[in-house]
Amino acid sequence: MVVPGVEGAFSYRVPSKLAASALPGMRVLVPFGHRRLTGIIIRTDTAENPKATREIEHVLDERPAFSPAMLQFTRWMSEYYLCPWGDVLKAALPAGISLDEKRHWVLSEPFDEARLAEILKMYPDAHDVVEALKAGPVPPERMAKQYGFGPRSAMLKRMQDAGLVSFRPVLRPPKVKSHFDSVVNLSAEVQAEYGPDYLGRLRSVHEQHLLRMIFECGPEGILRSDLLKGATSARKQAFARLLAAGSLALRLEEVTRWDPHTEATPKISVPKQLTDYQQMAVEAISRSLERGQFDPFLLFGVTGSGKTQVYIEAIRRTLEMGKSALVLLPEIALTPFVWGRFYQAFGNRVAIQHSAQGSSVRFDLWRDIRAGRFPVVVGARSAVFAPLPNLGLVVVDEEQEASYKQEEPEPRYHARDAALMRARMEHAVIVLGSATPSIESFYQALEGRYTMLRLPERVGGAILPEVRIVQRFPKPQIEGEVPKEKWVNGEPPKKEDKPPKHEEPPILTEELKERIAITLKRGKQAILLQNRRGFSPFIICRKCGNLPMCPQCSVSLTYHRKGQVLRCHYCDYREPAPDTCGKCGASDWITQGLGTQRLEEELVKEFPDARILRMDSDTASRRGMHGRMVTAFAAGEYDVLAGTQMIAKGLDFPNVELSAVVQADAELFYPDFRASERGASLIVQIAGRSGRRAETGMVILQSSVPEHPVLQVAVEHDWETFVQTELQSRQQANFPPYARLILLRAIGKEETPPAKALLRIRRLLQTIGKVEILGPAPAMVAKIRELYRFQMLVRTSRADDPAGNHLHQAVRMALMQYRQVKGEPGVEIEVDVDPQSVS
Ligand code: ADP
Ligand code: ZN
């Protein structure tokens, strides 16, 4: 048995009365230490186990929460990502359904009033506490907060010693439970005697109305809540009369709180015929589906080539074979449009999972998916755990997306990689789709491990947009280089005392402004990317160069014009924007850099008549807001959409004719081995938003380094060449896919212990040998929320350690040894297998 949050597995005896119902994958209530907890059975054994001294108390499930396949999958995840199995199982279950014990204050019985009287003399407040406890157990937090008695309160200790109260485990019911509703049907007697003729025997119009609704629903019956939705009191009385007369029968049933219609689906036109390329891709996938074996595909299709339609057709074939299908999308792509296409294709056979759903809905979906009611599941990262029985096909759209990586809490899994493993274990076909496949996946396809399927053309003859690079400001001068024109009479120019005043270049170049104007005049839409929220990344005192920093993190504060605040984008610390500099007292701030708010302001100034929508995590983080904004823009309620990378992904806006990246180089210079890939992918994606129908689109990239090879990729729409060059540099630097990486992070309140902890682990790793170690070094943001962060990268090359077994084994052993000897106090070690970013 495994308990969430606890390392290791534990043995329990199964009392004979539970022998038949305690099966692997079931949740059980067990005594654990001084309390009771929910655990999950991972294996049952008929032989007596001498280590099993305690018994299982209750079995909490009627059918296993985990199938054997899901147990195997979660176990792999725990081993691969070096994280307790129990934590993986917890991540795989919907939240709030476990039954746990926690210590509460409770009143002892029988209660000794005389003793209380003595205590009340010293502690008159004890009266309130006793009154509260009479109503039931009180958790320690409420005791401290509401009554002011903390865990070390002398009064509580006195009461405890006197045997009046105790602090003991109390079972807390799960927060989320099944929801039941009554299903209404005609009673058996009425059914047998009259059938539909019964309607004629009723005189009240209300009774007739109710009966008609019941007949319309057929033998399955109708939910009482649906039948009486919006009913007047006269109609409710009619219902009561029918019930009293024995005309109706009620049956209690577990119902779902998920309603697909709350997901707001716009009307979407369905393509009548696949293009030839789509057809070829679907055929190839279908042939593998028929073989029923693990088979990975890489669907490499330019933006607008109709990848989603390929998924839909492949899923249709999967369902015809009686199997189920799982579709993973980046959270940001789960818009009503995308969901609507799946809903239109599969109706009530498809369920959607996204982060805006409440815990009851998630629970119902999980239960119904497990029972096989939805053979198609569309969801974000965590849907990789969807308990679909009989999995035949897995789709991972935009497989290169960084958001597939779970960063916090454990398990730090990558949903694409986990999906590949799940497909392998369940003998399913998997399709990874993208216009800009990750370097890793492309490499696998080039090596012949994945089958590459190409969609090289846009649907409907739309051609890829023309991409132009526009110089945003003069090329930065290389240090030491002296501008020629300043030489006078063969003499180098005199050094100026002051550095030249740094003026920021205009945000929008003349060329981009002109293009926007043309687009607007033609009644078309434009999309502008600036991948930084806020107004400007920093404000600097012009006089003394003071740059306000976050007091808790080692980063500068971002200036937000709305509300005039400085905010930290790491910990969300906020303070009012100062009038005067705290260091020199001057009030001469300059803003540096460019955020979405400033871009919006500039657009409003330049195009006062245009309707401008800004979309970033400041405006679109509220539940459902992102979907609503996307829908409004698609419906033509706005002319210009300006925002961060969330506007670049997977959106299909037919009326967009211009897309632009305001600061294309901002994406490229970042100290991480994936920076070029990310930047290039983002630029290609944003370019892909324009001209998606037959008319030609235009893309403008503003940059200070127009010759940058990554920008040339976008001009040529040539991802494949980019991958080839990038592969070479990855090979030279020994990074994935040529190497395997595990990042170890150490976090602590003081500066030296984290570094010391990593140095100790480093020594242990060196003893084990055959791994390369980089660091420890401070993380790029060396302090977040007052915690210091150090990191160390452990690496093996693919040539020596193809599956990474040695690397994983070495790190596992080193960590075990480190913990056995007692780790550094106050230091937390995080393990990040296959880190997405190493900066
Ligand atoms: P991608 O995901 O490759 O960017 P989509 O699947 O979003 O492309 O398809 C782009 C647009 O083309 C969508 O509006 C879709 O409805 C349409 N489409 C896809 N396949 C076809 C087809 N065979 N015939 C006509 N239209 C299609
Ligand atoms: Zn901060």
Side-chain angles (χ1 to χ4, degrees):
M1 202 215 51
V2 159
V3 175
V6 186
E7 187 106 41
F10 306 88
S11 300
Y12 283 82
R13 267 193 320 217
V14 182
S16 52
K17 64 176 195 308
L18 296 179
S21 51
L23 303 172
M26 296 264 199
R27 294 176 310 128
V28 287
L29 189 69
V30 292
F32 193 86
H34 58 268
R35 54 196 187 137
R36 288 181 296 170
L37 292 175
T38 297
I40 293 132
I41 304 179
I42 52 176
R43 196 159 51 85
T44 53
D45 228 335
T46 40
E48 271 293 316
N49 184 343
K51 272 197 270 173
T53 50
R54 305 173 88 176
E55 276 191 353
I56 285 174
E57 285 186 18
H58 288 289
V59 176
L60 302 174
D61 291 312
E62 274 171 32
R63 62 163 87 204
F66 293 96
S67 64
M70 287 307 281
L71 281 177
Q72 192 197 4
F73 172 60
T74 50
R75 175 171 199 165
W76 164 81
M77 190 177 271
S78 104
E79 284 169 1
Y80 186 81
Y81 290 104
L82 303 173
C83 146
W85 193 358
D87 289 352
V88 181
L89 292 173
K90 186 176 170 195
L93 284 175
I97 64 168
S98 72
L99 201 61
D100 282 326
E101 268 188 346
K102 215 187 137 224
R103 298 228 265 177
H104 283 52
W105 289 103
V106 286
L107 221 51
S108 303
E109 292 202 31
F111 191 73
D112 191 338
E113 294 284 350
R115 283 218 167 144
L116 176 65
E118 274 169 40
I119 289 178
L120 283 177
K121 280 185 212 148
M122 284 172 289
Y123 298 102
D125 303 5
H127 178 77
D128 293 346
V129 172
V130 171
E131 285 305 308
L133 289 173
K134 277 185 183 158
V138 174
E141 308 84 58
R142 184 147 69 88
M143 187 59 90
K145 217 170 151 193
Q146 198 170 339
Y147 303 101
F149 296 107
R152 274 184 291 277
S153 139
M155 186 279 283
L156 286 171
K157 174 132 195 354
R158 265 308 252 287
M159 299 254 283
Q160 219 173 348
D161 291 345
L164 291 170
V165 298
S166 57
F167 189 48
R168 62 175 172 77
V170 169
L171 203 59
R172 294 179 303 173
K175 289 191 198 76
V176 179
K177 293 193 200 84
S178 286
H179 184 62
F180 290 88
D181 196 355
S182 304
V183 180
V184 184
N185 239 324
L186 221 52
S187 70
E189 301 83 62
V190 172
Q191 188 75 265
E193 205 164 326
Y194 307 101
D197 299 339
Y198 191 62
L199 203 58
R201 306 182 60 85
L202 298 172
R203 259 165 299 137
S204 138
V205 284
H206 290 297
E207 291 177 4
Q208 286 174 356
H209 179 88
L210 291 169
L211 251 286
R212 229 173 274 128
M213 280 177 79
I214 293 169
F215 280 130
E216 268 167 25
C217 288
E220 276 181 17
I222 178 170
L223 285 179
R224 191 204 339 232
S225 53
D226 287 342
L227 184 66
L228 296 179
K229 197 177 269 169
T232 58
S233 62
R235 184 155 301 161
K236 284 185 187 147
Q237 281 164 15
F239 179 74
R241 277 200 305 278
L242 287 169
L243 209 55
S247 314
L248 300 180
L250 293 185
R251 169 178 97 245
L252 216 53
E253 229 175 54
E254 227 177 359
V255 295
T256 180
R257 281 157 284 193
W258 183 61
D259 177 2
H261 302 292
T262 56
E263 316 281 359
T265 52
K267 271 268 160 281
I268 289 148
S269 67
V270 185
K272 292 193 183 60
Q273 226 183 345
L274 293 180
T275 65
D276 289 347
Y277 284 112
Q278 286 174 322
Q279 191 66 36
M280 285 193 303
V282 171
E283 290 309 326
I285 298 166
S286 301
R287 279 195 294 278
S288 285
L289 283 170
E290 271 152 31
R291 279 197 294 275
Q293 288 168 0
F294 170 65
D295 204 356
F297 288 93
L298 179 62
L299 180 63
F300 174 33
V302 297
T303 52
S305 59
K307 293 183 285 295
T308 311
Q309 209 53 40
V310 172
Y311 307 147
I312 289 175
E313 281 309 314
I315 295 168
R316 221 190 287 284
R317 308 278 175 105
T318 309
L319 296 183
E320 279 165 16
M321 298 165 74
K323 294 192 173 173
S324 61
L326 172 63
V327 181
L328 300 184
L329 300 170
E331 180 79 42
I332 205 102
L334 272 174
T335 59
F337 287 95
V338 175
W339 153 244
R341 286 168 72 177
F342 288 95
Y343 188 67
Q344 207 148 49
F346 304 111
N348 59 11
R349 288 182 297 172
V350 53
I352 184 176
Q353 284 190 324
H354 56 73
S355 63
Q357 285 163 337
S359 49
S360 322
V361 166
R362 279 164 185 247
F363 167 69
D364 290 352
L365 281 172
W366 174 80
R367 181 196 61 203
D368 292 343
I369 292 167
R370 186 184 51 157
R373 270 203 46 212
F374 296 109
V376 185
V377 173
V378 177
R381 178 174 66 218
S382 64
V384 74
F385 295 114
L388 280 160
N390 202 8
L391 191 62
L393 175 70
V394 182
V395 170
V396 184
D397 191 28
E398 306 281 349
E399 61 88 28
Q400 82 290 353
E401 264 290 298
S403 67
Y404 280 125
K405 181 75 196 285
Q406 159 99 358
E407 300 289 353
E408 213 62 57
E410 286 193 300
R412 299 190 175 84
Y413 64 95
H414 194 297
R416 174 201 59 215
D417 300 342
L420 276 158
M421 186 45 86
R422 190 169 169 196
R424 179 187 292 273
M425 287 174 165
E426 302 197 35
H427 311 290
V429 173
I430 180 165
V431 179
L432 310 178
S434 178
T436 55
S438 63
I439 305 290
E440 283 93 337
S441 299
F442 216 107
Y443 172 78
Q444 297 290 357
L446 292 174
E447 293 282 294
R449 278 188 283 268
Y450 300 169
T451 308
M452 174 101 80
L453 303 172
R454 288 170 195 266
L455 303 177
E457 290 173 1
R458 285 189 152 183
V459 168
I463 55 173
L464 287 164
E466 182 195 346
V467 181
R468 303 173 66 146
I469 303 175
V470 178
Q471 180 104 31
R472 182 159 166 252
F473 48 84
K475 199 164 126 188
Q477 261 173 34
I478 297 162
E479 220 169 317
E481 190 185 50
V482 186
K484 289 203 177 73
E485 58 279 11
K486 288 213 175 165
W487 284 57
V488 187
N489 302 332
E491 297 260 311
K494 285 193 205 97
K495 257 207 155 143
E496 286 179 40
D497 307 336
K498 273 195 209 150
K501 233 187 203 172
H502 177 77
E503 286 304 335
E504 281 211 68
I507 295 169
L508 305 172
T509 54
E510 287 306 317
E511 180 155 4
L512 179 53
K513 277 194 285 200
E514 204 172 294
R515 277 289 150 193
I516 296 176
I518 293 172
T519 307
L520 295 178
K521 205 182 256 163
R522 285 168 48 82
K524 300 288 177 182
Q525 291 172 304
I527 288 188
L528 269 69
L529 174 88
Q530 173 55 22
N531 203 9
R532 244 195 200 133
R533 66 199 167 95
F535 186 79
S536 63
F538 3 84
I539 61 168
I540 301 174
C541 172
R542 197 193 291 267
K543 205 137 173 228
C544 74
N546 174 23
L547 173 69
M549 302 281 288
C550 174
Q552 310 192 78
C553 310
S554 51
V555 293
S556 58
L557 295 168
T558 300
Y559 172 54
H560 284 242
R561 170 149 301 183
K562 184 156 176 253
Q564 295 285 331
V565 280
L566 297 180
R567 282 169 59 174
C568 170
H569 283 186
Y570 283 84
C571 71
D572 207 27
Y573 167 87
R574 297 170 194 213
E575 66 178 43
D579 286 336
T580 53
C581 171
K583 286 221 173 106
C584 73
S587 49
D588 193 6
W589 295 105
I590 42 173
T591 53
Q592 282 269 308
L594 170 58
T596 44
Q597 284 182 8
R598 176 138 174 222
L599 172 61
E600 181 189 22
E601 194 181 275
E602 184 74 10
L603 287 167
V604 170
K605 202 171 82 198
E606 293 286 340
F607 304 99
D609 298 329
R611 296 161 302 166
I612 292 153
L613 176 64
R614 184 181 107 225
M615 196 156 91
D616 53 33
S617 57
D618 292 325
T619 63
S621 65
R622 254 193 26 241
R623 280 189 177 188
M625 205 54 202
H626 175 250
R628 244 176 285 152
M629 285 182 156
V630 168
T631 313
F633 185 69
E637 289 170 32
Y638 295 93
D639 305 309
V640 182
L641 174 63
T644 55
Q645 45 105 14
M646 64 166 66
I647 68 172
K649 313 282 174 160
L651 303 175
D652 185 26
F653 300 124
N655 215 25
V656 170
E657 215 175 63
L658 173 70
S659 51
V661 182
V662 177
Q663 239 183 340
D665 10 284
E667 310 305 328
L668 306 175
F669 303 113
Y670 193 81
D672 193 288
F673 74 94
R674 267 188 249 268
S676 308
E677 180 187 349
R678 292 247 170 83
S681 169
L682 186 59
I683 290 169
V684 173
Q685 298 273 352
I686 194 80
R689 293 315 115 211
S690 85
R692 288 171 71 89
R693 296 299 178 270
E695 293 143 283
T696 26
M698 157 79 74
V699 179
I700 291 193
L701 308 177
Q702 297 193 132
S703 168
S704 56
V705 275
E707 309 82 19
H708 198 289
V710 164
L711 302 180
Q712 297 301 324
V713 173
V715 175
E716 308 284 334
H717 297 285
D718 188 0
W719 186 252
E720 195 156 356
T721 306
F722 169 72
V723 173
Q724 298 286 6
T725 0
E726 185 65 15
L727 276 171
Q728 277 172 18
S729 65
R730 297 276 181 96
Q731 188 159 28
Q732 271 159 18
N734 198 20
F735 272 118
Y738 299 99
R740 298 216 159 239
L741 305 177
I742 295 182
L743 188 73
L744 297 175
R745 225 173 281 127
I747 300 169
K749 277 212 170 71
E750 281 160 77
E751 201 167 352
T752 45
K756 257 166 70 187
L758 290 181
L759 282 171
R760 277 177 54 191
I761 298 172
R762 183 190 164 99
R763 245 172 275 130
L764 293 166
L765 281 166
Q766 279 164 338
T767 318
I768 298 166
K770 287 195 186 148
V771 294
E772 188 191 350
I773 307 164
L774 303 155
M780 192 170 85
V781 180
K783 195 174 94 182
I784 298 181
R785 294 176 199 271
E786 307 216 294
L787 294 175
Y788 291 91
R789 307 163 69 85
F790 278 77
Q791 59 184 38
M792 181 163 85
L793 196 61
V794 193
R795 169 161 83 179
T796 56
S797 60
R798 188 181 274 272
D800 311 332
D801 187 18
N805 290 336
H806 177 69
L807 175 67
H808 283 235
Q809 190 57 23
V811 171
R812 188 177 298 120
M813 263 170 58
L815 285 175
M816 211 171 66
Q817 290 167 356
Y818 164 78
R819 283 178 184 135
Q820 265 166 5
V821 184
K822 195 162 166 291
E824 284 303 309
V827 176
E828 201 191 321
I829 306 284
E830 287 181 1
V831 186
D832 192 352
V833 175
D834 303 334
Q836 272 300 294
S837 135
V838 297
S839 57

